[in-house]
Amino acid sequence: DEVLDICFNATGTRLVTASADSTARVYNVNTGACIGILSGHDGEISKIAFNPQGTKIITAGADKTARIWSSETGEELQILEGNTQNFYI
């Protein structure tokens, strides 16, 4: 589906995309292979980022949540709720 945001990790070896289909996808930059799909949002993901160490990914979406994921395993680590507006910039 439509890609709404992208972010590289600090070393430039991974790329993560935020999509209108409610998923984020992690790619190996050297091979172009999709190495993980992060799903859990209810609605499009509008913003995405790696933490400085590259160990976590944060996604923010139309469901008014932000979610923190392990960049290594794709495990959802935390859901941040309570925002009253969409995460659009």
Side-chain angles (χ1 to χ4, degrees):
D1 213 350
E2 181 182 6
V3 173
L4 303 173
D5 196 16
I6 64 169
C7 184
F8 286 92
N9 66 354
T11 60
T13 57
R14 291 195 179 173
L15 168 73
V16 65
T17 63
S19 183
D21 71 357
S22 305
T23 66
R25 295 175 189 265
V26 183
Y27 294 90
N28 178 311
V29 172
N30 295 322
T31 66
C34 179
I35 57 174
I37 299 174
L38 311 177
S39 60
H41 279 280
D42 183 23
E44 67 184 33
I45 299 172
S46 57
K47 295 294 175 190
I48 199 154
F50 279 96
N51 72 334
Q53 298 79 20
T55 58
K56 295 178 183 168
I57 297 168
I58 187 164
T59 56
D63 61 0
K64 300 179 183 174
T65 67
R67 295 168 190 255
I68 300 172
W69 312 81
S70 165
S71 66
E72 295 299 317
T73 66
E75 176 187 2
E76 185 178 82
L77 303 174
Q78 189 173 5
I79 300 173
L80 306 171
E81 299 179 275
N83 187 40
T84 59
Q85 298 178 0
N86 288 337
F87 287 97
Y88 291 103
I89 296 176

